[in-house]
Amino acid sequence: MRWFFQIPIIISFGVATIITLSYLYEMTFGYGRASWFNVLTGVGFMVACVAFHYLYKFIEKLGEKIEGKNNKR
C-alpha cells in the first residue's frame, strides 16, 4: 500500500480523535455544553476513516487481481 495515500486518513483520524476526546472531557468535567451528538459525530468520523482505509486496501487488491488476469493473456 502506498503510504502517502494514507497520510490524509491518518491526519483526519487523529483530528477526529482529539475532537471526540475534547467533547467527552467537556461533557464530563466542563460546563456541559457538548452533547452526545457531538461525541457520536466524532466517533462516526473515526469509523469512516477506518472504513475508507480498508476500502482503499480492497480496491488496491482488486486492481492487482485484475492486472494479474490481464498479464496471463
Side-chain angles (χ1 to χ4, degrees):
M1 178 179 301
R2 294 178 181 92
W3 62 270
F4 51 87
F5 287 126
Q6 298 301 314
I7 290 174
I9 297 171
I10 293 168
I11 292 171
S12 300
F13 186 83
V15 169
T17 303
I18 292 169
I19 290 172
T20 304
L21 290 176
S22 67
Y23 282 143
L24 281 172
Y25 180 81
E26 176 69 29
M27 285 176 61
T28 307
F29 303 110
Y31 297 105
R33 289 181 288 211
S35 66
W36 280 108
F37 177 75
N38 300 117
V39 174
L40 291 177
T41 302
V43 170
F45 192 73
M46 291 189 311
V47 169
C49 289
V50 172
F52 186 75
H53 168 77
Y54 283 109
L55 177 68
Y56 178 80
K57 283 176 74 171
F58 172 75
I59 290 173
E60 192 174 52
K61 285 192 185 276
L62 190 63
E64 290 173 1
K65 192 180 287 188
I66 290 172
E67 283 181 6
K69 286 183 181 178
N70 289 340
N71 290 339
K72 289 181 183 176
R73 292 180 183 172

